[in-house]
Amino acid sequence: MSTAILTGPPVAGSPLEADLRTLGFDVRTANDAASAAELLAAVPAQERVAVVDPRFVGHLHALRLALTDPRFPAAAVPGALTAQPAARAALARAFGRIPVGAGTAHLTDVLTDTLTESLDREETGLHRVELGSLVATVALTPAQREDAREAVAAVDDEAVRLRTAVKSRDGFFTTYCISPYSRYLARWCARRGLTPNQVTTASLLTALIAAGCAATGTRGGFIAAGFLLLFSFVLDCTDGQLARYSLQYSTMGAWLDATFDRAKEYAYYAGLALGAARGGDDVWALALGAMVLMTCRHVVDFSFNEANHDATANTSPTAALSGKLDSVGWTVWVRRMIVLPIGERWAMIAVLTAFTTPRIVFYALLIGCALAACYTTAGRVLRSLTRRARRTDRAAQALADLADSGPLAELIAGRARGRGRTGSFLAPVMAFLSAAVLLVWVIFQDDPTSWLTVGVAVCSALLAGAAVARPLKGALDWLVPPFFRAGEYVTILVLAARADVPGALPAAYGLVAAVAYHHYDTVYRIRGGTGAPPRWLVRATGGHEGRILVITVLAAALSPEGFTIALTALAVVLALLVLIESIRFWVSSQAPAVHDEGEPA
């Protein structure tokens, strides 16, 4: 239970107390600032506290946004503010600074506003809610109260709540084909007490059933798979809209949503590959290639954003041009569709599954995603080269965590530390060479399953260690993690394909999926503000260079059949290791709720 303290002149017939109880608050009244401070001190430290002026007039949803959003330690609208446990001490200090005596009446006339200003000065993370068309005000006279009530009546509170449940920035297909309907499904779920995590789980189960239908290899199974994949995407949109509609945000929910999205898509790829195999067409290499391409695309996104989101003096002519293009309506949608976001991508996969073959699905997916990757990566490289920015230590650490360097690279980096200049292009060049040397060898060598390949893998590790020897603060240092991912994933793909035995590529698919899960988990821990996975886990998994070395040794030492068994065993061990630690962390994590904004109110 949360507590709301009404402090100020009482207003007869006001629905305010009923609204606060609707929002789950235990309502208490205070005559003045001193008695309100005493009530505050009596509330248990682990509870949320709200201070509301009894003369408040506004929409219920304005109060909901100000008083129940879990993402902010403190939040406020005119006439109402809230403090979660993290901001309770600051609120108590704000009460302590309220003066008494002659000439101070203006500070307590609207006490909530005075407290809000005090919290703002303390930098407690106070969030001032953007009300948009919603009304929230303190009516000091009967005339003001009447005007405010008319303004409230003129705006449909529920319509605003539904509209703001939809993300302000989304793909064309999602915006125009899914969200106009899924928001009502989100409201239906909210009224029945369903949580976003339950809807996320339902979306995962639906996608897994779709993958199972695709695995049948029949035309009916493919049609059912396409339909179920689209319905899974509807549920995927619904869970976020439900979170925004009911303000049920959590870091764990964001992690579930993100990881389940990848699990759904990659399980579906596997279902298509199994279905194709039933029809005599082996497309496992294409399925694995699609997963590798998608994962590398995401790593580019994550690395670029982490490198630049808190950079200072962060300006770029390219970014300014992009902003100008966004002011022209049709270019916004063209640019969003070019990158093939999840809505457009899943719609394409679903339709092609129903009407064509798995091979055509993967060809279209690889071509579309490759073009999108070229477009986005080229744009980000251009922005980085023209951007005047100073990267922070936090950004450098995030990139180092995303690099996923193991003990071998750490040892090499320690010996190379001090050589080279921070901020130069040395790091991305070394990372590129680390991946390129290995990939050129395994792709073009007649027999890559030899001990010479192990030697090349050692050289690749040396270059990888040199790449991370200095803090990653250069303009293009965000390319280091994507180069490492491409080198590792494609090496596994090629060695499994060159083994040329049944089961090698499916085993490699499982191994890459397990490693990719570890990398996605790292991303969402960093985004949640809790830091990367513990170093013992990174060392236990070997880091990217350690895994490459182990896989090349296995390929050289074992027969193709033995290599397949080893890949399968390695996939199982890595999956168990990263899953157990990940689930333990997220279930017990006290990470703050994430920011996932919908439309402004």
Side-chain angles (χ1 to χ4, degrees):
M1 174 68 84
S2 302
T3 300
I5 301 171
L6 291 176
T7 176
V11 178
S14 171
L16 181 59
E17 288 193 36
D19 287 345
L20 290 171
R21 290 192 175 93
T22 298
L23 297 177
F25 284 90
D26 177 25
V27 181
R28 303 181 188 181
T29 59
N31 295 324
D32 51 32
S35 58
E38 292 176 1
L39 286 176
L40 173 66
V43 176
Q46 69 274 15
E47 285 190 14
R48 175 195 288 268
V49 173
V51 181
V52 185
D53 193 302
R55 297 164 295 181
F56 175 89
V57 179
H59 288 99
L60 175 62
H61 193 51
L63 277 178
R64 181 182 290 108
L65 291 171
L67 305 184
T68 67
D69 197 324
R71 297 172 295 171
F72 309 103
V77 292
L81 76 148
T82 186
Q84 293 202 65
R88 285 279 302 277
L91 180 59
R93 290 193 297 270
F95 268 109
R97 286 192 288 269
I98 299 294
V100 295
T104 62
H106 68 286
L107 295 175
T108 55
D109 188 32
V110 183
L111 178 62
T112 52
D113 290 354
T114 302
L115 293 172
T116 297
E117 294 299 328
S118 183
L119 287 175
D120 212 1
R121 287 193 297 272
E122 282 212 29
E123 298 184 356
T124 57
L126 177 74
H127 172 64
R128 293 180 181 267
V129 177
E130 293 184 19
L131 291 172
S133 58
L134 295 176
V135 175
T137 187
V138 176
L140 302 178
T141 66
Q144 289 178 352
R145 176 168 292 276
E146 187 60 31
D147 290 343
R149 285 174 174 169
E150 290 179 0
V152 169
V155 176
D156 186 340
D157 180 90
E158 180 61 19
V160 172
R161 189 181 179 190
L162 268 177
R163 175 175 60 81
T164 56
V166 177
K167 266 188 177 180
S168 57
R169 182 181 177 86
D170 225 327
F172 181 88
F173 178 77
T174 304
T175 299
Y176 290 103
C177 300
I178 303 296
S179 292
Y181 314 104
S182 59
R183 70 182 74 181
Y184 295 101
L185 180 57
R187 181 172 65 181
W188 182 89
C189 292
R191 290 176 176 177
R192 281 150 185 81
L194 297 176
T195 67
N197 289 351
Q198 289 171 332
V199 178
T200 300
T201 303
S203 176
L204 173 66
L205 293 175
T206 303
L208 293 179
I209 295 171
C213 292
T216 64
T218 64
R219 179 51 51 196
F222 288 147
I223 292 173
F227 173 79
L228 288 172
L229 185 66
L230 282 178
F231 183 62
S232 175
F233 181 65
V234 171
L235 293 176
D236 185 57
C237 295
T238 300
D239 63 5
Q241 291 164 359
L242 175 59
R244 288 182 285 273
Y245 181 85
S246 56
L247 300 182
Q248 297 182 72
Y249 297 100
S250 70
T251 298
M252 183 175 180
W255 168 73
L256 285 176
D257 185 46
T259 53
F260 281 10
D261 278 352
R262 305 288 76 77
K264 288 180 285 189
E265 188 163 359
Y266 299 159
Y268 192 82
Y269 293 173
L272 284 174
L274 288 170
R278 286 179 178 271
D281 190 12
D282 186 355
V283 297
W284 275 107
L286 296 177
L288 181 50
M291 180 166 67
V292 168
L293 181 55
M294 283 304 308
T295 304
C296 290
R297 272 192 65 190
H298 290 144
V299 174
V300 168
D301 295 341
F302 299 144
S303 296
F304 179 81
N305 291 334
E306 288 301 324
N308 292 289
H309 90 279
D310 60 351
T312 57
N314 200 358
T315 60
S316 165
T318 309
L321 175 61
S322 178
K324 290 181 180 179
L325 289 175
D326 280 345
S327 65
V328 182
W330 66 270
T331 65
V332 175
W333 296 117
V334 170
R335 294 170 69 210
R336 290 186 192 177
M337 293 174 71
I338 286 174
V339 301
L340 206 63
I342 187 170
E344 278 77 357
R345 190 168 69 250
W346 283 25
M348 180 187 74
I349 293 171
V351 171
L352 291 178
T353 298
F355 296 105
T356 64
T357 65
R359 181 171 290 273
I360 292 175
V361 173
F362 285 123
Y363 281 153
L365 190 61
L366 286 166
I367 293 170
C369 288
L371 292 174
C374 291
Y375 170 77
T376 56
T377 305
R380 286 168 177 171
V381 168
L382 187 59
R383 284 190 184 196
S384 299
L385 292 175
T386 59
R387 176 172 275 155
R388 298 176 181 176
R390 291 186 294 275
R391 275 75 182 183
T392 63
D393 291 337
R394 179 209 166 278
Q397 184 58 53
L399 290 180
D401 292 334
L402 290 173
D404 192 32
S405 299
L408 182 57
E410 285 182 338
L411 177 64
I412 297 165
R415 293 183 177 275
R417 191 158 287 128
R419 302 173 187 176
R421 182 168 57 87
T422 299
S424 69
F425 295 122
L426 181 63
V429 169
M430 290 294 103
F432 172 77
L433 291 176
S434 173
V437 165
L438 184 62
L439 293 181
V440 168
W441 177 268
V442 297
I443 291 172
F444 295 105
Q445 181 68 16
D446 290 337
D447 181 18
T449 58
S450 67
W451 290 104
L452 283 175
T453 304
V454 177
V456 175
V458 172
C459 293
S460 174
L462 290 172
L463 292 167
V468 295
R470 302 287 294 176
L472 298 177
K473 293 185 176 182
L476 295 179
D477 284 0
W478 56 270
L479 286 170
V480 170
F483 284 145
F484 286 165
R485 295 298 80 75
E488 179 181 2
Y489 296 162
V490 177
T491 296
I492 296 172
L493 189 161
V494 174
L495 289 178
R498 299 290 290 273
D500 197 26
V501 294
L505 280 167
Y509 192 93
L511 177 57
V512 172
V515 176
Y517 177 87
H518 168 57
H519 291 143
Y520 282 116
D521 186 51
T522 300
V523 166
Y524 285 95
R525 291 195 195 208
I526 294 172
R527 281 189 171 184
T530 57
R535 286 305 301 170
W536 71 260
L537 179 65
V538 176
R539 293 190 178 101
T541 59
H544 70 93
E545 81 290 347
R547 289 187 296 271
I548 289 174
L549 193 56
V550 168
I551 290 164
T552 55
V553 168
L554 292 174
L558 300 175
S559 66
E561 292 78 9
F563 181 57
T564 299
I565 295 171
L567 284 181
T568 304
L570 190 58
V572 171
V573 170
L574 281 175
L576 288 175
L577 190 62
V578 299
L579 277 171
I580 290 172
E581 161 55 23
S582 176
I583 293 171
R584 181 210 62 78
F585 170 79
W586 287 104
V587 169
S588 62
S589 174
Q590 298 300 314
V594 296
H595 294 245
D596 182 19
E597 298 290 358
E599 293 279 359

